[in-house]
Amino acid sequence: MAKKDVKKVVLAYSGGLDTSIILKWLQDEYNAEVVTFTADIGQGEEVEPAREKAIKLGIKPENIFILDIQEEFVKDYVFPMFRANTIYEGEYLLGTSIARPLIAKKQIEIAKQVGADAVAHGATGKGNDQVRFEIGYLSLNPDIKVIAPWREWDLNSREKLLRYAEKHGIPIEKHGKKSPYSMDANLLHISYEGGILEDPWAEPEEDMWRWTTSPEKAPNEPEYIEITFENGDPIAINDSAMSPATILKTLNEYGNKHGIGRIDIVENRFVGMKSRGCYETPGGTILLKAHRAIESITLDREEAHLKDSIMPKYAELIYNGFWFSPERESLQALIDNTQKNVNGRVKLKLYKGNVEVVGRRSPNSLFDANYCTFEEDEVYNQKDAEGFIRLNALRFIIKGKNR
C-alpha cells in the first residue's frame, strides 16, 4: 500500500515526545487522518494528559481513545503466562513482552471501529517490540498496513528529534533532570536500558531503581502473607478476595516494601544482538514463587516435569512476539488443563529481597505423609524398591557384563 493510499491510521500514542513527533510526521508524510490510542496498563503515570496533547496536535476528540485495560491485561495475559511459570533465559519475567499483544489487539479493534487502513507504533528498528507489535497486527488483520516510522525516517538521533519538534511546535516538556535510561512500565514490571547499562560491567546506580526499596534498607523484620489459588490463578491475599489487577498491585506493594524483584541481565534479543537490561518485577516475583509452591503439592510428577520441559519454548514464543500463534495457543491449552486441581493456599515469608515458601496446603494435595514418613507405616513395603532399582539398572548391568 502506497503512502497516498493510507487515509486513516491508528497510532499507539503515549503522549511523550517520540510518539508526538510520530503523530505530526504521519500527518505530514502520509497526509493521513490520525487516530490515537493510549493504553493504561498500570504504568504508574497519568494517561489523560495524552488527550490534551493530541488535541493540541490537531487530533479530533472523537479520534482519541484512552482505555483502562489493566484488568484485561492481568486476567487474560499475565495470569495465563504465570500458569506456565514462564521465565525467559532463566531470569526475565517478560514484563514488556506480555503487554505488546494486548496493545496490538486494541489497535486493531479501534482500526476496525473507525475504518482505518493502517496502524503505527513507535518501536525502533533495533528492538524486539517492532516484531511483537507487527506480528500481533498481522495475526489479527493480515490486510492492515503497518507503519514503523523509525524504519522510514532519518530522525535517528535525539538532536534531530528535538529540532523536528521545535520546527513543528511540538511541546518539549522538561521535568528536571531527564532519566538517562530508556524505560517501559506496566502493572507487571518496569524496565531500564541504555545509559551506563550499555557497559555490562557497570553496576546500576541505586537511584535508577524506582519501584523497589533497596534490600539493604528494607524492614529488618520479615512479613508473612498468604495467597489463595483457584485453577492456577491467585484469587485472594490474606483471605481478602481481589480482582486480578488488584492482586498484582497488592503484591507489588509487598515486593516494593521488602526489596523484592530486581534483576540485572544480558538477554538475547530476537533480532540478533545481546542487550543488557535491568528489571523490577516485585509482585510477579512473589507470584511465581507462590504458584510453583502450590503446584508442588497438586501436580502429578510427570505432569509437572512436562510443564517444565515446554516452558522455555512457551517463554520464547512470548518474548519473540508469537502470542497469537497456533503453537502458543496449543501450549496454553495443555498448560491450562494442568491447572484444574491447582487450588489451595501458600504461605510466604518476605524479607530483604527474598521470598521464601514456608507453607502450602490444598484440598487436591497429592502429598501423603503416610507414604513419605520416616516413621513406621503400613502402606509402603520397602522391599519393593529392590526390584524397582534392579529393573532400572538392567541396561547398565548388561552393558557392564559386555565390557
Side-chain angles (χ1 to χ4, degrees):
M1 185 182 290
K3 284 185 177 181
K4 62 182 177 60
D5 296 324
V6 176
K7 305 302 181 186
K8 186 179 289 189
V9 54
V10 179
L11 169 65
Y13 182 64
S14 69
L17 178 62
D18 288 5
T19 52
S20 294
I21 289 172
I22 289 172
L23 192 162
K24 177 62 178 172
W25 182 86
L26 288 170
Q27 292 170 327
D28 291 347
E29 291 294 315
Y30 282 82
N31 194 29
E33 184 177 6
V34 178
V35 177
T36 64
F37 165 53
T38 305
D40 182 355
I41 47 177
Q43 55 265 47
E45 298 176 350
E46 288 292 326
V47 293
E48 273 300 322
R51 188 186 309 275
E52 183 180 342
K53 293 177 184 177
I55 289 173
K56 286 181 178 178
L57 291 168
I59 305 301
K60 301 174 184 176
E62 63 268 26
N63 282 345
I64 299 172
F65 291 79
I66 298 177
L67 302 179
D68 183 343
I69 51 176
Q70 295 181 68
E71 290 292 350
E72 183 177 359
F73 174 53
V74 180
K75 177 179 178 290
D76 295 338
Y77 293 80
V78 175
F79 280 5
M81 181 176 74
F82 272 80
R83 287 177 214 141
N85 300 320
T86 313
I87 304 178
Y88 180 70
E89 295 188 336
E91 293 190 85
Y92 176 39
L93 291 175
L94 296 166
T96 297
S97 315
I98 195 60
R100 297 328 190 201
L102 177 56
I103 294 171
K105 175 173 173 278
K106 292 301 179 183
Q107 274 184 271
I108 293 299
E109 289 175 354
I110 292 169
K112 181 179 180 180
Q113 179 179 336
V114 302
D117 39 41
V119 288
H121 62 76
T124 74
K126 279 189 174 184
N128 296 307
D129 279 342
Q130 59 180 334
V131 183
R132 296 165 182 153
F133 281 128
E134 294 179 37
I135 289 180
Y137 299 148
L138 297 172
S139 298
L140 299 167
N141 183 352
D143 297 320
I144 200 77
K145 162 73 174 177
V146 178
I147 302 173
W150 282 94
R151 301 202 302 259
E152 293 188 31
W153 66 21
D154 62 354
L155 304 175
N156 52 13
S157 70
R158 184 154 187 84
E159 290 72 23
K160 288 183 178 179
L161 289 171
L162 292 173
R163 284 200 298 270
Y164 185 95
E166 185 177 0
K167 177 181 177 181
H168 294 281
I170 299 170
I172 303 169
E173 296 183 5
K174 294 182 173 63
H175 299 288
K177 183 182 177 183
K178 183 184 181 299
S179 171
Y181 307 103
S182 173
M183 296 183 293
D184 175 79
N186 58 51
L187 202 51
L188 181 57
H189 90 152
I190 184 169
S191 66
Y192 310 88
E193 292 181 319
I196 65 167
L197 301 181
E198 292 184 356
D199 175 3
W201 183 256
E203 180 179 1
E205 299 165 325
E206 180 57 37
D207 63 4
M208 177 193 77
W209 306 102
R210 296 191 174 199
W211 276 21
T212 55
T213 300
S214 168
E216 293 90 342
K217 296 179 180 178
N220 292 323
E221 296 296 327
E223 185 169 7
Y224 292 84
I225 65 170
E226 296 183 10
I227 302 176
T228 303
F229 287 86
E230 184 176 282
N231 298 327
D233 292 341
I235 59 168
I237 300 174
N238 297 335
D239 289 322
S240 295
M242 302 176 186
S243 72
T246 306
I247 288 265
L248 190 50
K249 287 177 183 176
T250 303
L251 291 178
N252 279 338
E253 291 168 2
Y254 281 114
N256 179 351
K257 178 180 177 181
H258 293 281
I260 292 164
R262 293 183 180 186
I263 63 167
D264 178 347
I265 62 174
V266 174
E267 67 199 64
N268 289 293
R269 285 185 180 174
F270 190 27
V271 294
M273 75 279 284
K274 291 184 182 291
S275 173
R276 195 256 189 109
C278 292
Y279 301 92
E280 291 175 280
T281 319
T285 301
I286 297 170
L287 179 56
L288 177 67
K289 194 84 169 182
H291 185 258
R292 290 197 68 95
I294 195 63
E295 281 193 330
S296 72
I297 60 170
T298 56
L299 289 188
D300 170 78
R301 180 188 69 186
E302 295 307 313
E303 197 174 32
H305 291 182
L306 176 61
K307 278 192 75 227
D308 282 346
S309 72
I310 65 173
M311 185 278 288
K313 177 62 177 177
Y314 181 93
E316 185 179 89
L317 289 171
I318 295 175
Y319 185 84
N320 293 345
F322 291 88
W323 177 262
F324 297 110
S325 68
E327 60 269 34
R328 199 284 306 176
E329 292 174 350
S330 295
L331 289 177
Q332 191 72 59
L334 186 157
I335 290 160
D336 291 351
N337 187 62
T338 69
Q339 300 296 290
K340 57 184 180 291
N341 290 322
V342 181
N343 307 306
R345 195 171 182 127
V346 177
K347 182 162 59 174
L348 302 156
K349 178 181 177 181
L350 313 179
Y351 182 65
K352 290 193 176 294
N354 295 308
V355 185
E356 294 181 49
V357 176
V358 296
R360 69 291 274 164
R361 63 187 180 194
S362 168
N364 306 109
S365 178
L366 300 177
F367 183 92
D368 191 332
N370 290 319
Y371 283 92
C372 61
T373 181
F374 283 95
E375 304 301 327
E376 184 178 353
D377 71 82
E378 298 179 355
V379 296
Y380 185 84
N381 186 349
Q382 297 195 29
K383 292 181 180 179
D384 290 344
E386 181 179 356
F388 173 78
I389 294 167
R390 289 195 66 82
L391 284 175
N392 275 280
L394 183 58
R395 60 194 176 100
F396 304 119
I397 293 170
I398 294 171
K399 184 178 179 181
K401 289 182 176 180
N402 287 333
R403 284 197 184 104

